[in-house]
Amino acid sequence: MACVSEYGSEKKMAEGGNDAELLKEKANKYFKEKDYENAIKYYTEALEVNPSNAIYYSNRSLAYLRTECYGYALADATKALEIDKNYIKGYYRRATSNMALGKFKAALKDYETVVRVRPNDKDARMKYQECNKIVKQKAFERAIASDETKKSVVDSLDIENMTIEDDYVGPKLEDGKVTLTFMKEMMEWFKDQKKLHRKCAYQILVQVKDVLSKLPSLVEIQLKETEKITICGDTHGQYYDLLNIFKLNGLPSESNPYLFNGDFVDRGSFSLEVILTLFGFKLLYPNNFHLLRGNHETDNMNQMYGFEGEVKAKFTAQMFQLFSEVFQWLPLAQCINSKVLIMHGGLFSEDGVTLDDLRKIDRNRQPPDSGFVALSLCLSHRTVGRSVSEE
């Protein structure tokens, strides 16, 4: 009987393993089609059948990386290594996750492991060198930084004496102010892929920084039952998609408010056009046009995903530094009618977080490795709304 029982158990395990492999292959198919949500679904089902397979965790980690769910990607890569400490792809996935989360020292350690085992892997070596450069740069910045010596880019600007050349025929601020006419002209100018004059761009940035710096980390608004607000997720430099939103839903106005929930830049080729348009409407309708910070309004992401390079190519490194300062003043969350909470990164992994905790966040910084600022920005990229209370 014991032999029969053992045979039956082994047969069941083999059948389960086959089922898990079929689910993995199905997930791989969705992954190749870039349907990452379904890929994650079937990798998860495969893990439910066979929870001790490092490859399944590693594959799901990569799918999470593609959807920018870096916290989940990190957890899966770590689990893969717990199952098999020699699984080199696990180190690569974990390094990539930590890199995206700004945990550069942890990432560097894993990249070192990958390079040591695979010395001829050009991609791994490139990632290692990039990460090593960032670690050294951060160490240098910490060594020379102090609150007393840190100055804003604004202090070094002389906007009033910037000259707008005679041959520039594009939109200009009216007496230094953003108007609806200016916004319409600027959107058409951008639509034709023309560059705004640097003086106008600097004027918008300096003014919006002043507006954002006066806002709380948690913005709270009240809407009447007859009022509506349009909430938009990641625009990611897709300027023509932004124009289409306004075409379908109407331009922002006092009676047509909007909330854009982070990730305005990176990936797309027109991040500057998107963010300057959004900032312009924030200046035009400060109480009816709302912006929240996403994980792509951070230096690490802008360096890796293109916005820094775009600003430097179209304008200057100095302007990117000013964008970095402005991004740090973007609010982190918004609460509507004390019932609906909106933030870019999703809800916290720790219990007991209250609205008052969000109000107290000192947000004028790059996101740390942990804490509310990191959690609200980096764990996910989905637009999230949830009913809330003060408790």
Side-chain angles (χ1 to χ4, degrees):
M1 291 295 293
C3 292
V4 173
S5 175
E6 288 175 6
Y7 172 76
S9 176
E10 289 173 1
K11 182 179 179 182
K12 186 175 181 181
M13 289 174 64
E15 289 173 348
N18 290 334
D19 290 342
E21 279 297 299
L22 289 174
L23 289 166
K24 185 199 79 170
E25 291 305 317
K26 194 170 185 178
N28 287 348
K29 179 176 178 292
Y30 279 116
F31 186 93
K32 290 178 182 177
E33 295 170 353
K34 298 184 179 180
D35 185 350
Y36 302 120
E37 296 296 335
N38 270 318
I40 289 168
K41 174 185 175 183
Y42 287 105
Y43 286 136
T44 301
E45 290 185 12
L47 282 164
E48 289 171 356
V49 176
N50 183 2
S52 59
N53 191 305
I55 294 174
Y56 300 169
Y57 279 107
S58 178
N59 286 5
R60 190 171 70 173
S61 176
L62 183 58
Y64 276 133
L65 282 169
R66 291 290 188 268
T67 59
E68 297 183 26
C69 295
Y70 301 122
Y72 292 128
L74 177 61
D76 273 358
T78 300
K79 184 65 178 178
L81 291 171
E82 288 175 0
I83 295 170
D84 183 0
K85 66 179 182 179
N86 295 317
Y87 187 55
I88 199 64
K89 282 188 178 179
Y91 290 101
Y92 196 94
R93 304 278 187 265
R94 189 166 69 178
T96 305
S97 303
N98 275 320
M99 186 88 167
L101 289 167
K103 300 179 180 180
F104 299 112
K105 287 185 177 180
L108 184 62
K109 184 177 180 181
D110 283 340
Y111 280 135
E112 285 175 345
T113 300
V114 177
V115 170
R116 185 171 62 251
V117 175
R118 294 181 176 176
N120 296 323
D121 188 328
K122 293 182 179 179
D123 184 67
R125 181 163 295 279
M126 182 184 71
K127 293 288 186 183
Y128 166 75
Q129 291 171 346
E130 179 185 349
C131 187
N132 191 34
K133 181 179 177 181
I134 293 173
V135 169
K136 291 180 178 178
Q137 179 183 336
K138 296 292 182 184
F140 175 74
E141 289 173 355
R142 285 194 300 270
I144 65 172
S146 70
D147 292 337
E148 291 75 24
T149 60
K150 186 176 181 180
K151 292 184 178 180
S152 169
V153 173
V154 179
D155 298 332
S156 62
L157 293 176
D158 186 8
I159 297 176
E160 291 300 318
N161 289 320
M162 286 184 184
T163 302
I164 297 181
E165 296 76 13
D166 293 337
D167 60 353
Y168 175 76
V169 295
K172 304 173 188 175
L173 276 70
E174 299 176 24
D175 295 324
K177 301 295 182 183
V178 169
T179 63
L180 182 57
T181 299
F182 168 81
M183 289 303 300
K184 290 179 178 179
E185 290 178 355
M186 183 174 72
M187 286 190 291
E188 285 300 313
W189 190 254
F190 285 158
K191 187 177 179 181
D192 294 335
Q193 298 188 20
K194 296 178 180 178
K195 188 170 74 172
L196 186 68
H197 195 277
R198 66 188 183 98
K199 180 174 183 176
C200 301
Y202 274 122
Q203 286 174 311
I204 290 172
L205 286 171
V206 170
Q207 291 177 32
V208 83
K209 181 184 177 184
D210 182 61
V211 170
L212 295 175
S213 66
K214 294 174 182 175
L215 294 175
S217 292
L218 171 64
V219 176
E220 298 171 78
I221 63 171
Q222 294 292 320
L223 295 178
K224 298 176 183 177
E225 290 186 6
T226 57
E227 294 177 322
K228 69 172 185 177
I229 185 169
T230 301
I231 301 174
C232 303
D234 311 20
T235 50
H236 272 310
Q238 302 295 334
Y239 182 67
Y240 296 97
D241 288 351
L242 179 64
L243 292 183
N244 198 42
I245 290 171
F246 291 152
K247 180 179 179 181
L248 294 172
N249 201 59
L251 285 177
S253 68
E254 292 180 354
S255 60
N256 190 28
Y258 280 84
L259 190 163
F260 282 82
N261 191 21
D263 280 15
F264 317 123
V265 300
D266 283 333
R267 299 191 184 282
S269 301
F270 304 101
S271 292
L272 259 169
E273 290 76 7
V274 167
I275 192 61
L276 288 174
T277 300
L278 296 179
F279 281 169
F281 276 119
K282 181 62 183 175
L283 292 173
L284 187 59
Y285 304 114
N287 299 318
N288 306 96
F289 193 86
H290 308 280
L291 301 170
L292 299 180
R293 191 178 184 184
N295 60 306
H296 278 267
E297 281 66 59
T298 58
D299 287 354
N300 296 337
M301 288 293 169
N302 295 160
Q303 183 180 47
M304 289 189 288
Y305 289 94
F307 183 59
E308 180 179 351
E310 181 182 341
V311 177
K312 289 179 177 179
K314 294 178 179 178
F315 289 100
T316 63
Q318 182 191 51
M319 185 174 286
F320 174 73
Q321 292 172 4
L322 183 53
F323 268 111
S324 177
E325 289 184 25
V326 175
F327 287 164
Q328 292 183 176
W329 282 113
L330 285 162
L332 301 178
Q334 187 141 346
C335 191
I336 302 174
N337 289 6
S338 301
K339 291 182 179 180
V340 179
L341 177 66
I342 301 158
M343 64 178 65
H344 181 82
L347 300 173
F348 303 112
S349 58
E350 54 191 84
D351 296 328
V353 179
T354 67
L355 294 183
D356 200 42
D357 290 324
L358 299 179
R359 294 185 186 105
K360 294 175 181 176
I361 293 175
D362 179 13
R363 69 184 186 279
N364 182 25
R365 59 191 300 190
Q366 293 299 312
D369 289 348
S370 61
F372 297 146
V373 178
L375 288 167
S376 63
L377 294 179
C378 294
L379 290 185
S380 171
H381 74 292
R382 297 183 178 91
T383 295
V384 175
R386 179 181 178 181
S387 296
V388 297
S389 65
E390 289 289 340
E391 288 75 30

